[in-house]
C-alpha cells in the first residue's frame, strides 16, 4: 500500500455537478478506510456546508475548510487550528467591495452571510434548502455586512462572484497588492479572499505531519487553482478531466471528469 492518506476536494472533484457523490467513489473510499487509509476532505467550503458529504463518507478525520484557513473537528464540534482574517482586514475588503459593487458571501464562525443576493448566493441557497433540515448550513442575509463582521468571533474568508470575471480579477489583484491578502480562484467565476499564507497544501501538510506521516504518503484529487498547493506537494496529485488545462498541466496525473468513476479507479489501482 503506497499511500496512507486520500485527500479530496469537493466541488468539481468528488462531487458531481448535482452535488452528489458517485456510488463508485463511495464504495472505494469506504474500502480504503476499512484498510486503514485516512480519508480527509480539503475544501474551500465552510464546515457548515460539508455535513451531507462528511456523513455520507462516514469520516472520523477533521476537515480542512476555506482553502486551508482552518481545521475543523466534527466529532468535538470545534476548530483545531486556524489563521482567520483580522477584523480590520475584513472591514477594508468590505469597503472595497462596496466601492466597486461586487458582492458575495462572508464566511464567519458557524455561518455564511450575505448582504445582496447574487447568482452564486441564490444557487447556494437553493442547494441548502434541498437538504434535510439537520444538514442545512446556516445561511443568512444581513442588513450590513460590515456590522456582521464586527460581531463575528472568527472571519474565515470572502467568496466573491461577479458576471464580469475580468473585473473580479482586477479586484483580486488590488486586494493582494493593497492589503496583502491571498486571493485564490475556486470556480470559474468565484474568487476567495483569505489570510495570506493559508492554502490547502499548507494545512494538509500540517495535519499529515501530526499523524506521523509525510506528504509523499498522500494521494490527492482536485480540479481548480486553489487545489494546486495540494496537488503539487503530495505523493500523487490527480487532476480531474473537467479541470482547466493549466491545472491538468501541473498535476502528476489526469483522470476522467467528476461524472466518471476515475477517483474510484485510481484508489483501487494505487491504494487497494
Amino acid at each position: 500500500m503506497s499511500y496512507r492518506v486520500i485527500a479530496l476536494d469537493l466541488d468539481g472533484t468528488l462531487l458531481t455537478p448535482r452535488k452528489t457523490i458517485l456510488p463508485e467513489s463511495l464504495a472505494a473510499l469506504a474500502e480504503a478506510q476499512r484498510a486503514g487509509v485516512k480519508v480527509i476532505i480539503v475544501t474551500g467550503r465552510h464546515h457548515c456546508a460539508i455535513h451531507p458529504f462528511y456523513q455520507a463518507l462516514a469520516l472520523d478525520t477533521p476537515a480542512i475548510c476555506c482553502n486551508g484557513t482552518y481545521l475543523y473537528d466534527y466529532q468535538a464540534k470545534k476548530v483545531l487550528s486556524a489563521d482567520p482574517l483580522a477584523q480590520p482586514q475584513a472591514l477594508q475588503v468590505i469597503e472595497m467591495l462596496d466601492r466597486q459593487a461586487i458582492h458575495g458571501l462572508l464566511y464567519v464562525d458557524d455561518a455564511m452571510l450575505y448582504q445582496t443576493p447574487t447568482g452564486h448566493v441564490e444557487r447556494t441557497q437553493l442547494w441548502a434548502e434541498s437538504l434535510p433540515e439537520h444538514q442545512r448550513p446556516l445561511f443568512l442575509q444581513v442588513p450590513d455586512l460590515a456590522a456582521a463582521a464586527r460581531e463575528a468571533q472568527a472571519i474565515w474568508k470572502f467568496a466573491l462572484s461577479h458576471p464580469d470575471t475580468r473585473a473580479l480579477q482586477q479586484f483580486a489583484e488590488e486586494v493582494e497588492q493593497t492589503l496583502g491578502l491571498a486571493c485564490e480562484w475556486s470556480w470559474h467565476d468565484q474568487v476567495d479572499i483569505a489570510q495570506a499564507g493559508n492554502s490547502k497544501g499548507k494545512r494538509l501538510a500540517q495535519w499529515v505531519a501530526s499523524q506521523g506521516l509525510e506528504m509523499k504518503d498522500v494521494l490527492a484529487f482536485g480540479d481548480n487553482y486553489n487545489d494546486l498547493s495540494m496537488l503539487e506537494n503530495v505523493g500523487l496529485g490527480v487532476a480531474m478531466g473537467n479541470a482547466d488545462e493549466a491545472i491538468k498541466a501541473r498535476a502528476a496525473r489526469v483522470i476522467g471528469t467528476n461524472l466518471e468513476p476515475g477517483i474510484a479507479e485510481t484508489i483501487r489501482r494505487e491504494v487497494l
Side-chain angles (χ1 to χ4, degrees), residues 242-256:
N242 46 281
D244 285 352
E245 293 303 316
I247 310 300
K248 295 178 185 178
R250 293 169 65 175
R253 185 177 299 175
V254 179
I255 58 174

Side-chain angles (χ1 to χ4, degrees), residues 19-267:
K19 308 305 179 190
T20 60
I21 303 175
L22 294 175
E24 296 92 339
S25 297
L26 284 171
L29 288 164
E31 192 173 339
Q33 289 182 86
R34 288 194 294 271
V37 177
K38 298 179 185 296
V39 176
I40 184 168
I41 289 173
V42 188
T43 180
R45 286 182 177 238
H46 193 297
H47 72 265
C48 73
I50 301 174
H51 288 292
F53 318 119
Y54 190 89
Q55 290 164 10
L57 294 168
L59 299 180
D60 59 4
T61 50
I64 294 172
C65 303
C66 289
N67 300 326
T69 295
Y70 65 106
L71 182 69
Y72 187 78
D73 184 332
Y74 273 93
Q75 277 66 44
K77 295 184 179 179
K78 69 176 184 179
V79 174
L80 299 177
S81 58
D83 295 288
L85 286 164
Q87 186 186 98
Q89 293 174 311
L91 293 174
Q92 285 179 289
V93 173
I94 292 169
E95 287 179 9
M96 294 169 66
L97 289 169
D98 288 344
R99 286 200 303 269
Q100 300 195 32
I102 293 176
H103 307 292
L105 288 166
L106 176 62
Y107 290 47
V108 302
D109 302 324
D110 296 312
M112 295 180 290
L113 312 178
Y114 66 98
Q115 184 172 325
T116 303
T118 64
H120 172 237
V121 166
E122 290 168 352
R123 288 192 300 272
T124 305
Q125 194 167 28
L126 282 173
W127 169 77
E129 291 172 353
S130 73
L131 297 172
E133 191 170 348
H134 70 280
Q135 291 184 337
R136 290 178 190 169
L138 190 55
F139 191 67
L140 302 172
Q141 184 169 19
V142 296
D144 187 336
L145 212 55
R150 291 188 185 95
E151 294 173 2
Q153 295 298 308
I155 301 169
W156 305 127
K157 75 167 188 177
F158 291 86
L160 310 177
S161 60
H162 196 278
D164 184 348
T165 54
R166 180 57 191 157
L168 202 55
Q169 176 70 47
Q170 290 173 341
F171 182 81
E173 291 171 357
E174 183 182 353
V175 167
E176 288 181 327
Q177 292 167 5
T178 61
L179 303 182
L181 299 178
C183 297
E184 289 191 303
W185 291 85
S186 57
W187 205 245
H188 64 90
D189 63 349
Q190 179 178 315
V191 67
D192 296 341
I193 299 175
Q195 185 61 261
N198 289 338
S199 72
K200 290 185 175 186
K202 180 180 177 180
R203 191 70 64 184
L204 177 61
Q206 291 172 351
W207 179 79
V208 167
S210 77
Q211 303 302 298
L213 301 171
E214 300 177 43
M215 288 290 270
K216 66 180 178 61
D217 300 316
V218 180
L219 166 63
F221 298 89
D223 76 303
N224 223 309
Y225 291 90
N226 60 338
D227 296 314
L228 286 173
S229 63
M230 174 173 68
L231 297 181
E232 293 185 319
N233 291 289
V234 295
L236 179 59
V238 180
M240 305 303 293
N242 46 281
D244 285 352
E245 293 303 316
I247 310 300
K248 295 178 185 178
R250 293 169 65 175
R253 185 177 299 175
V254 179
I255 58 174
T257 73
N258 57 338
L259 282 169
E260 300 171 277
I263 289 177
E265 292 166 357
T266 303
I267 291 170

